[in-house]
Structure formats: C-alpha cells, structure tokens
C-alpha cells in the first residue's frame, strides 16, 4: 500500500515482528531522543516553576490518549466511513506523540528567537521543524530520520505548504539590540521550510495534480505585512489538531488553577457570562456548577469537572466533507466539534492565553529564554567550527561544502535543546561563575 511506504524503501520487519506499520511508527517516536527531550521543554508554565504542571511530554501523552479516543468515537459514529478511511488508533497516537517534537526551548519565545535569527535563511517554525526531525534529523536511519510511513508524515502536516508561498512580502526592520525585538512582528509563517521541499514532494507522490493543488489552497493570501494561511489538512492531521486543542484548552486550565495562576474571581469576571450563554445549547451543562467544581478546593471534584469537559468536547466530534472534490479520501474529510462545543473550547483557549500565557510573570520568563536563544545563535554562527559539538560541526561543514543552508544546522542544534540545556550552555559561554540554571 502506497501510504505505508517509507522513504528508505525498506519495509522488511524484524524477525517475528507482527506489529502493524503504524505501531512501528509509534515505537520509533516513543524511543526517539527528540521525544524524550519533551520532558524538559516548556508547555505553558516553564519547567521548574512548579512540580505539578504538564511539560510538553505529558501534554503529548494526554493528547495521544484523546486522539485515540476520538478515533474510537468516530469509528462508532461513522462505521462505514471510518472503515473507508482506515482510521487507526496507533496512527493517531503516533501523530499526537510527535506533534510537538520540533518546538524549541522556552516555548514560543524560543520559536520567535530562531525565526528572527533565520530571517534571511528560510525562517523557523515549530511544526516545520517537527517534519524536519522525523524525515531527516532523528538518528534512526542515516538519511531519512525516523523513516516513518507516508501516511504518518501526511498526518503531521498541519500546514502542508512551503514557507515561501505564504511569507509576508516585506520583513520588519532588523534590530540593533536583541532586547529591542518586537516579538509580535516576528511571528513565523505556519508552514514547512523550503529546505525540506524534497521530503514534502515525496509525501505528495500518491496525490493527483488536482488534489495536490487543492490541498495547498490558501485560506488567506499573504500581503506585504501579513503571512498567508493554509486552508486544509488531512483527516488524520485534523483529528490530531482537535486532540491537541482539547488537551491545551482543558488540561492546561487545570494546571493554572492548581498552581494559583487563575483564581475564581478571574474566572467569574471573564468566563462565567460566556458559559451561561451556552447552557441552553449544551445538555446537562451548568456554568455555575462547573465553576464550583473547578474552584472548590476538592481535587476529586476538579478532576471530575476536567474529565467531563474532555468527554463533552470529544463526543461532539463529527466528520464533515470539505468543499473540494478530492480523489484521495484522506483529504476529503475534516473533524469538527459541535457548534456549541467549538465555542466552549475556543473560550477556554482564549482564557488560557489571556490569563496564563500573557501574564507578566510568564512573559518575563519567555523574554529571558528568547534572549538566551538569540545570543547562543549569534555566537555559534560566528565561530561554528570552534563551538559546535563534533557531529553538528561535521553537518555544518558538509552543508557549506555543498552550498546548502549551513545556518539551518545551527537552528537544528538549538531547537533540539531542552530549556535547561540551553540555559546551561548560555552560562558556560557567557558567565565567569560556575554553570547553574540561568533562571536561578
């Protein structure tokens, strides 16, 4: 089957291996160094701020569980269509486990830092880096990264277009001091790197010319000052993104309540009225009851409320056909939550963004991490052959010799770091004192 082919062309399993192709993909992701590093990368709250909150690793594990549950739900709701699409629990678990492995240290601060430093060399974006890791960088094979199946790679394409097709026409002016960088001006386009065009073309090989053209349709065209946006993703990517959104909107809310970043008065002033408007549209839903359970101080009641929210969102999911006539059924369908459930989830996500992510104490940590990444990039790009570790140094030299994008190698190196490792390297390079956490 063409969708279970691998870039290497090697499909032989180990002796007596009875696993499916997608179960093998899941194992490769779980046992990768890139996945392990998620345990020390920021999700919402910075690693070390508290001992309770989720990291990118635990977030990915929870998203994986939700993704598998969505497959079960959709299979029960649409048995014939699910069979036609060959929806797979191991496949969705794989996608959710891998979806964040390209994100750099220090969350979106690190992403913006790398995008600025790579501004004249293709930029940087976390989802694009995920695709790069699984197709080239992870050391499972010499040339093809994890050598995952074509369908798994298709499912990882949240934005199945190249950055050059949607990047804004004019970049903001460079800054003379990293501390003057206006972060909102340097948000990256949501796309793959042009450096990885060959890998994207391999994923697209089974698609007809018409399917490939329609699949890369833009929802928003780029302008001089605004990036464009892609419109579509495969059914598997759609399920993965829904699972990711639920995990972010609901589970990260739980973290913020437990550690005291969100208090009841914040919730009542900014969420309660919106939730009350949904009571008529959501069965057995009480905005006041949810509020009481979330902020009662009872771990049991809060956990039941969180689980109830996840279940409510998940079980509202349905399959809908796109407005295009695709030859490939994997592109024809998208997952949508119920209308009221979608409003509920978006309200939760916006609340988390405003009252957790944008809090000054959170932004201070993001700013500090952003400065670390930019300064590391600067010094490594000045003397790469002196400061890069041996394997990375060799990759850098090879890229230079063949006229490739050698700065992409430095970007790969920095984006793969955990928060703590980046802080430690910063101390080693710039501090005269003994190395310790940059946040101490």
């Amino acid at each position: 089957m063409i969708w279970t082919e691998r870039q290497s062309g090697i499909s032989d399993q180990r002796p007596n291996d009875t696993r499916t192709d997608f179960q093998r993909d899941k194992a490769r992701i779980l046992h990768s160094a890139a996945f392990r590093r998620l345990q020390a990368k920021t999700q919402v709250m910075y690693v070390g701020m508290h001992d309770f909150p989720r990291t990118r690793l635990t977030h990915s594990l929870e998203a994986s569980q939700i993704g598998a549950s969505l497959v079960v739900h959709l299979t029960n709701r649409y048995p014939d269509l699910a069979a036609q699409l060959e929806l797979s629990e191991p496949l969705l678990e794989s996608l959710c486990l891998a979806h964040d492995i390209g994100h750099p240290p220090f969350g979106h601060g690190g992403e913006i830092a790398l995008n600025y430093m790579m501004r004249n060399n293709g930029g940087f974006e976390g989802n694009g880096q995920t695709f790069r890791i699984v197709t080239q960088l992870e050391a499972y094979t010499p040339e093809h990264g994890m050598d995952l199946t074509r369908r798994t790679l298709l499912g990882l394409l949240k934005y199945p277009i190249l950055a050059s097709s949607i990047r804004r026409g004019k970049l903001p002016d460079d800054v003379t001091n990293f501390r003057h960088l206006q972060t909102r001006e340097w948000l990256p386009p949501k796309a793959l790197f042009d450096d990885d065009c060959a890998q994207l073309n391999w994923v697209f090989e089974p698609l007809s010319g018409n399917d490939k053209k329609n699949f890369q349709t833009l929802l928003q065209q780029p302008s001089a000052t605004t990036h464009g946006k892609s419109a579509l993703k495969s059914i598997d990517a759609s399920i993965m993104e829904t699972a990711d959104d639920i995990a972010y909107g609901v589970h990260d809310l739980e973290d913020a309540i437990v550690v005291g970043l969100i208090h009841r008065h914040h919730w009542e002033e900014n969420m309660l009225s919106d939730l009350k408007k949904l009571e008529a549209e959501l069965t057995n839903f009480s905005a006041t009851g949810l509020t009481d359970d979330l902020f009662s101080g009872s771990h049991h009641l809060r956990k039941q409320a969180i689980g109830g929210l996840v279940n409510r969102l998940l079980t509202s999911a349905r399959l809908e056909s796109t407005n295009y006539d695709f030859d490939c059924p994997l592109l024809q369908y998208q997952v949508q939550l119920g209308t009221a459930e979608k409003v509920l989830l978006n309200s939760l996500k916006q609340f988390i963004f405003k009252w957790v992510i944008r809090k000054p104490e959170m932004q201070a940590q993001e700013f500090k991490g952003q400065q670390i990444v930019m300064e590391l990039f600067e010094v490594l790009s000045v003397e790469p052959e002196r400061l890069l570790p041996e394997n990375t140094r060799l990759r850098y030299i090879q890229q230079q010799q063949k006229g490739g994008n050698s700065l992409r190698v430095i970007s790969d190196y920095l984006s793969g770091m955990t928060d703590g490792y980046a802080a430690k390297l910063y101390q080693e390079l710039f501090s005269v004192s003994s190395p310790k956490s940059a946040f101490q």
Side-chain angles (χ1 to χ4, degrees):
M1 179 182 175
I2 198 164
W3 289 108
T4 55
E5 289 179 352
R6 303 179 186 275
Q7 283 181 280
S8 66
I10 299 173
S11 59
D12 293 340
Q13 298 184 7
R14 291 185 172 89
N16 303 316
D17 188 349
T18 57
R19 294 174 299 170
T20 67
D21 290 292
F22 299 138
Q23 287 172 332
R24 294 168 66 200
D25 282 353
K26 178 183 173 182
R28 294 182 185 191
I29 294 164
L30 270 172
H31 294 289
S32 68
F35 180 74
R36 289 196 301 277
R37 290 191 184 103
L38 295 178
Q39 67 187 303
K41 286 191 177 185
T42 294
Q43 168 59 15
V44 170
M45 276 162 266
Y46 280 80
V47 176
M49 287 182 72
H50 300 278
D51 64 355
F52 171 84
R54 291 157 172 89
T55 62
R56 283 204 183 268
L57 182 121
T58 56
H59 161 76
S60 298
L61 291 170
E62 289 177 333
S64 176
Q65 184 271 323
I66 294 171
S69 297
L70 280 166
V71 170
V72 173
H73 164 72
L74 294 169
T75 300
N76 287 330
R77 187 168 181 175
Y78 307 96
D80 294 338
L81 183 53
Q84 178 192 348
L85 296 171
E86 298 184 77
L87 297 184
S88 162
E89 290 179 58
L91 170 59
L92 259 297
E93 289 171 336
S94 297
L95 299 180
C96 293
L97 290 172
H99 81 282
D100 266 354
I101 61 175
H103 284 271
F106 309 115
H108 290 293
E111 182 178 48
I112 289 169
L114 285 175
N115 185 49
Y116 176 74
M117 301 307 291
M118 290 291 291
R119 62 195 179 280
N120 298 319
N121 292 276
F124 179 87
E125 197 272 332
N127 296 286
Q129 189 68 17
T130 293
F131 183 74
R132 185 169 172 80
I133 288 171
V134 298
T135 58
Q136 296 173 74
L137 301 181
E138 185 65 36
Y140 190 88
T141 63
E143 297 179 343
H144 303 300
M146 296 185 195
D147 199 27
L148 303 177
T149 61
R150 183 183 268 114
R151 179 162 175 176
T152 298
L153 295 179
L154 179 71
L156 285 171
L157 299 179
K158 288 179 68 173
Y159 313 104
I161 49 177
L162 295 175
S164 58
S165 65
I166 62 164
R167 186 179 290 114
R168 58 187 288 180
K170 185 178 185 302
L171 291 178
D173 293 335
D174 294 355
V175 296
T176 56
N177 187 310
F178 290 152
R179 295 181 183 181
H180 298 163
L181 190 74
Q182 296 291 317
T183 57
R184 302 302 296 176
E185 292 184 357
W186 288 97
L187 293 171
K190 299 293 186 182
L192 303 178
F193 307 138
D194 285 53
D195 292 332
D196 305 327
C197 179
Q199 286 72 30
L200 179 63
N201 288 338
W202 182 83
V203 176
F204 283 171
E205 274 182 15
L207 302 180
S208 66
N210 188 61
D211 275 9
K212 182 178 177 181
K213 177 183 176 182
N214 287 338
F215 190 47
Q216 296 186 296
T217 298
L218 298 189
L219 180 66
Q220 175 182 307
Q221 294 291 330
S223 68
T225 58
T226 307
H227 299 309
K229 294 180 181 178
S230 61
L232 299 171
K233 52 183 64 67
S234 72
I235 179 58
D236 301 317
S238 177
I239 297 173
M240 176 264 284
E241 185 174 48
T242 302
D244 182 29
D245 284 348
I246 293 173
Y248 165 70
V250 179
H251 289 305
D252 290 340
L253 169 67
E254 179 185 14
D255 281 357
I257 292 172
V258 171
V259 302
L261 282 172
I262 292 176
H263 299 285
R264 182 169 183 140
H265 68 89
H266 291 136
W267 179 266
E268 290 179 337
E269 291 169 6
N270 297 279
M271 275 291 287
L272 196 54
S273 62
D274 289 342
L275 293 179
K276 283 184 176 294
K277 294 175 185 177
L278 293 172
E279 287 182 331
E281 301 176 61
L282 295 172
T283 306
N284 298 322
F285 178 74
S286 167
T288 302
L290 174 63
T291 301
D292 289 341
D293 289 346
L294 288 175
F295 295 94
S296 67
S298 165
H299 293 293
H300 170 72
L301 289 176
R302 183 175 57 250
K303 184 59 69 176
Q304 288 298 315
I306 292 295
L309 281 172
V310 172
N311 179 71
R312 180 180 295 278
L313 296 168
L314 190 157
T315 55
S316 76
R318 60 182 187 268
L319 291 173
E320 291 188 354
S321 178
T322 70
N323 294 323
Y324 297 88
D325 187 16
F326 283 108
D327 299 318
C328 177
L330 297 180
L331 310 184
Q332 187 66 51
Y333 297 92
Q334 304 274 287
V335 169
Q336 297 288 344
L337 298 183
T339 303
E341 287 82 4
K342 187 185 299 183
V343 172
L344 172 61
L345 180 55
N346 286 337
S347 295
L348 292 171
K349 290 167 59 180
Q350 291 167 12
F351 183 80
I352 288 291
F353 181 78
K354 180 177 181 179
W355 292 103
V356 179
I357 293 175
R358 299 301 295 177
K359 268 181 172 282
E361 56 265 44
M362 301 295 288
Q363 288 300 301
Q365 296 299 319
E366 183 173 297
F367 174 81
K368 189 180 293 187
Q370 183 175 303
Q371 301 303 306
I372 287 174
V373 172
M374 287 190 288
E375 292 197 39
L376 286 176
F377 193 105
E378 182 179 53
V379 72
L380 290 174
S381 62
V382 169
E383 292 202 85
E385 295 185 34
R386 179 184 181 191
L387 296 174
L388 289 174
E390 182 64 15
N391 286 341
T392 308
R393 186 178 70 85
L394 291 175
R395 283 187 57 228
Y396 181 90
I397 293 172
Q398 288 168 359
Q399 281 294 314
Q400 276 198 319
Q401 290 174 342
K402 63 183 183 181
N405 188 355
S406 55
L407 287 182
R408 180 66 67 192
V409 177
I410 297 177
S411 174
D412 292 339
Y413 175 53
L414 285 171
S415 68
M417 293 180 180
T418 63
D419 295 15
Y421 187 85
K424 179 176 178 288
L425 180 59
Y426 181 89
Q427 287 289 334
E428 289 175 348
L429 291 174
F430 299 111
S431 175
V432 295
S433 60
S434 58
K436 57 183 179 181
S437 172
F439 295 133
Q440 290 181 352

